[in-house]
Amino acid sequence: MNRLLPNSAGIGLRAPHVTQVLAARPPVAWFEVHSENYFADGGQALAALDRIRADYPLSLHGVGLSLGSTDPLDLRHLAKLKRLADRVLPARVSEHLCWSSVNDRHFNDLLPLPYTSEALDHVCARVSQVQDFLGREILVENVSSYLTFPESTIPEYEFVVAVATRTGCGLLVDVNNIYVNARNHGIDADVYLAAIPPAMVAEIHLAGFDASGPCLIDTHGAPVAPDVWALYERALRRFGRVPTLIEWDTDIPEFAVLQREAATAQSYLEASLAVAA
Ligand SMILES: [Fe+2]
């Protein structure tokens, strides 16, 4: 089954909730999982995913390909991703526009790129290589960041759009990441949204951040903030109705909390449809 993602609110499915979802089959429009958690040859996790994807549209979201790294693209990682995608036939395959390894050292962070023409050439070549290898279009996601590089010459939003323009990939627009970067770096979030052609946007992410320190940290460990819901509403006004995912990765709450967040996203989606009509 290779269903498209519905233009509805989905939930990022994490290990603590898999048993409950398999038992109760809750009414969730679609699920997204982290690809790397299912790279094993077999085992319980993959068997569970086979059952999930039989009942729900599924999206594969990568966190470890290190698309922007200067190391050679990890072809073993890519081969595992292709094997998984060929098995579960996801509606979407996405990765982050970032780097997370150098000189064969891997980090658990999605690190920002310098936004230069050289980095753009580099990352576009790698996105094309990934798409050729997988035999499908991927989505790339804008990341949150806590620093900028003095070498950057291109606004982040122009860089992100240029990657999609040059490679034909789609965009996974993380509205929370736009908000976090706008606050951390003094970018105008509405200018960012206005720069993105609606036709490129295939998916939206929403998550919560930590505001207790000197800058916003994208923890995926809190409810979506009111200002991010407001920005999401403006994003839907610009992009139209887009499949939207609730992500929660630290201090993972009861599944019902995620369902409530998804229900809120769904109400924004419904309202955007009413405005469009
Ligand atoms: Fe995200």
Side-chain angles (χ1 to χ4, degrees):
M1 200 180 306
N2 184 7
R3 291 172 286 187
L4 285 177
L5 296 180
N7 288 330
S8 302
I11 290 175
L13 182 61
R14 305 296 179 249
H17 298 140
V18 169
T19 304
Q20 180 184 349
V21 166
L22 284 175
R25 294 292 200 276
V28 176
W30 57 282
F31 284 113
E32 185 163 279
V33 298
H34 287 161
S35 314
E36 288 80 1
N37 291 341
Y38 300 93
F39 276 2
D41 274 332
Q44 279 186 351
L46 195 56
L49 189 63
D50 284 337
R51 292 173 58 198
I52 298 280
R53 52 82 65 187
D55 288 347
Y56 298 94
L58 181 71
S59 176
L60 291 182
H61 187 50
V63 294
L65 190 54
S66 198
L67 261 181
S69 173
T70 51
D71 284 351
L73 204 51
D74 184 344
L75 297 181
R76 285 196 327 194
H77 186 108
L78 204 47
K80 288 177 183 170
L81 177 59
K82 180 167 170 50
R83 186 177 59 175
L84 177 64
D86 289 348
R87 176 182 180 123
V88 301
L89 302 175
R92 294 290 184 186
V93 174
S94 55
E95 250 295 347
H96 296 86
L97 206 49
C98 72
W99 61 281
S100 54
S101 62
V102 67
N103 296 333
D104 236 0
R105 287 190 59 203
H106 289 259
F107 311 98
N108 277 332
D109 293 295
L110 304 170
L111 300 165
L113 290 162
Y115 298 125
T116 65
S117 59
E118 186 184 13
L120 182 59
D121 289 345
H122 176 69
V123 80
C124 283
R126 289 165 67 98
V127 169
S128 295
Q129 189 182 351
V130 170
Q131 293 188 133
D132 289 348
F133 189 94
L134 296 179
R136 64 183 297 155
E137 175 193 291
I138 65 166
L139 308 182
V140 297
E141 176 182 356
N142 57 298
V143 294
S144 53
S145 60
Y146 315 110
L147 57 81
T148 57
F149 295 96
E151 291 82 1
S152 290
T153 55
I154 305 171
E156 180 185 313
Y157 46 82
E158 276 181 30
F159 190 95
V160 171
V161 169
V163 171
T165 303
R166 284 168 54 170
T167 67
C169 74
L171 295 182
L172 193 178
V173 173
D174 190 313
V175 172
N176 182 60
N177 291 351
I178 291 177
Y179 182 80
V180 165
N181 287 3
R183 285 276 303 273
N184 287 350
H185 308 313
I187 303 165
D188 185 329
D190 290 287
V191 169
Y192 198 123
L193 289 181
I196 300 173
M200 287 181 178
V201 183
E203 185 182 328
I204 286 176
H205 273 180
L206 295 170
F209 55 75
D210 182 316
S212 61
C215 69
L216 300 186
I217 303 290
D218 178 31
T219 54
H220 291 191
V224 177
D227 282 352
V228 174
W229 284 121
L231 187 62
Y232 174 56
E233 186 176 25
R234 302 202 290 283
L236 293 180
R237 214 175 292 152
R238 169 155 179 75
F239 302 141
R241 210 172 151 162
V242 179
T244 300
L245 187 85
I246 299 296
E247 295 188 290
W248 204 311
D249 292 290
T250 58
D251 294 328
I252 296 176
E254 305 256 303
F255 191 71
V257 174
L258 303 186
Q259 287 182 293
R260 282 200 291 278
E261 290 284 276
T264 303
Q266 188 65 34
S267 69
Y268 280 97
L269 285 161
E270 309 287 347
S272 77
L273 200 64
V275 169

